[in-house]
Amino acid sequence: MVARINQFTFDCRDSYALAKFWTQVTGYTENPKYPNSPDEEENYIGPGEALPGLLFINVPEPKTVKNRLHLDLSPDTTRDEEVDRLLGIGATLVADHRKEDGAGWVVLADPEGNEFCIERSDAERGEN
Amino acid sequence: MVARINQFTFDCRDSYALAKFWTQVTGYTENPKYPNSPDEEENYIGPGEALPGLLFINVPEPKTVKNRLHLDLSPDTTRDEEVDRLLGIGATLVADHRKEDGAGWVVLADPEGNEFCIERSDAERGEN
C-alpha cells in the first residue's frame, strides 16, 4: 500500500499568473481537457500525461514566511544561463550560493515570493 | 530552455525520521549510493531512477504557519483505507473534506506538521 504523488500544490494569490510563470520555468503544459483561465480558482500544469504536475490554488491569505517546502531544479542549458533567463521572466534573486570552483546553486523566488533553487545542469555536475 | 524538477525539498527538524515516514507513504527508496543516516543533515528518497524525489534538510527554525506548498496524493487502495494506514504510521488529521456522495479528500499532516492531501484512488474517481 502506497500513495502516488499527483501534484505539488501552491497556495497563491493569482493561480493563473503563477501557472503561466511555472510553465515558462518547466515547459509543463495545461491539461487540454481543462484549459487554464484567470476565472478559475485552480490552475494546473503538468509534464504531459506523466505525474506529478503543479497545481495552483487561489487562497485568501498571503505568504508570510520562508516556505518550508520548495522545488529544486536543474536546467537543460547551464545554471548561470538559466538563472539569467528566469530573472528575465519575473523571478527574483533570494540568495547566491555559487562557488568559485563552479559548484553551488542559486535561490530564486517566483512572482509570489515562493523560493526555489537552480542547481547545476547534469553536464555541469559531470564536469565538477 | 527549461528546468527539470529534481526534488521537492522539505525543511525539517529531523530529516532522517521524516524521510522514513515519507518512505512509508510513497514507497520511495533511498539512493543506495548515498544511504540515509541520522548523522546526515540531508536525507533523500526517490522513485528509483526517476525524478522528482523528496529531499529532507535539517534547518534550525521550526514550522510556524500552514505550508504554502503541499503534496496531493492518491492511494493504490482506497482513500479511506489509506487515511487509516497513514494515521497508523504517525500522520495526524488536519481536516476531513470527505462528502456524503463519496467524493472529497482528507488533509493530513506528517510527524513535523507538514500538511498533505489524500484524494480518492483512480478507481474511486472512475466510480464517482
Side-chain angles (χ1 to χ4, degrees):
Chain A
M1 297 174 69
V2 295
R4 181 190 66 207
I5 300 172
N6 289 338
Q7 60 236 356
F8 302 144
T9 300
F10 291 64
D11 289 350
C12 50
R13 185 181 54 75
D14 184 342
S15 63
Y16 182 69
L18 208 57
K20 275 204 151 179
F21 173 81
W22 280 96
T23 290
Q24 293 178 276
V25 177
T26 58
Y28 287 7
T29 52
E30 62 186 349
N31 182 338
K33 288 187 198 161
Y34 305 99
N36 287 342
S37 160
D39 298 327
E40 296 290 340
E41 290 295 303
E42 297 187 5
N43 284 284
Y44 175 87
I45 60 172
E49 296 291 308
L51 294 172
L54 302 176
L55 179 67
F56 303 90
I57 301 182
N58 292 347
V59 299
E61 69 273 14
K63 180 177 190 286
T64 56
V65 301
K66 179 191 170 203
N67 284 346
R68 196 80 175 161
L69 278 68
H70 70 265
L71 296 178
D72 290 328
L73 304 103
S74 65
D76 58 6
T77 55
T78 68
R79 178 195 58 197
D80 294 354
E81 287 175 285
E82 184 67 2
V83 167
D84 288 345
R85 180 179 80 90
L86 296 176
L87 292 172
I89 63 169
T92 52
L93 180 66
V94 175
D96 193 334
H97 295 288
R98 287 178 281 201
K99 296 175 185 169
E100 284 190 9
D101 68 0
W105 69 96
V106 178
V107 186
L108 300 177
D110 73 17
E112 295 206 10
N114 298 301
E115 303 86 359
F116 62 101
C117 296
I118 299 296
E119 304 171 336
R120 290 173 296 167
S121 67
D122 292 345
E124 289 175 298
R125 282 167 183 264
E127 287 162 18
N128 282 287
Chain B
M1 295 172 71
V2 294
R4 180 191 66 207
I5 300 173
N6 288 337
Q7 61 236 355
F8 200 56
T9 301
F10 291 63
D11 288 351
C12 49
R13 184 181 54 77
D14 183 341
S15 63
Y16 181 69
L18 208 57
K20 276 204 151 181
F21 173 82
W22 280 96
T23 290
Q24 292 179 276
V25 177
T26 58
Y28 287 6
T29 52
E30 64 187 349
N31 182 338
K33 287 187 198 161
Y34 305 100
N36 287 342
S37 160
D39 298 328
E40 294 292 340
E41 290 295 302
E42 296 187 5
N43 284 286
Y44 175 87
I45 60 172
E49 296 293 308
L51 295 173
L54 302 177
L55 180 65
F56 303 89
I57 301 182
N58 292 347
V59 300
E61 69 273 16
K63 179 177 191 287
T64 56
V65 300
K66 178 190 169 205
N67 284 346
R68 197 80 175 160
L69 277 69
H70 69 264
L71 297 179
D72 290 328
L73 305 103
S74 64
D76 58 6
T77 54
T78 68
R79 178 196 58 197
D80 295 354
E81 286 176 286
E82 184 67 4
V83 168
D84 288 345
R85 180 179 80 89
L86 297 175
L87 291 173
I89 63 170
T92 52
L93 180 66
V94 175
D96 193 334
H97 294 288
R98 287 179 281 201
K99 296 175 186 169
E100 283 189 10
D101 68 0
W105 69 97
V106 178
V107 186
L108 299 177
D110 73 17
E112 294 206 8
N114 298 300
E115 302 87 359
F116 63 100
C117 296
I118 298 296
E119 304 171 337
R120 290 174 295 167
S121 68
D122 291 346
E124 288 175 299
R125 284 167 182 263
E127 286 162 18
N128 282 288

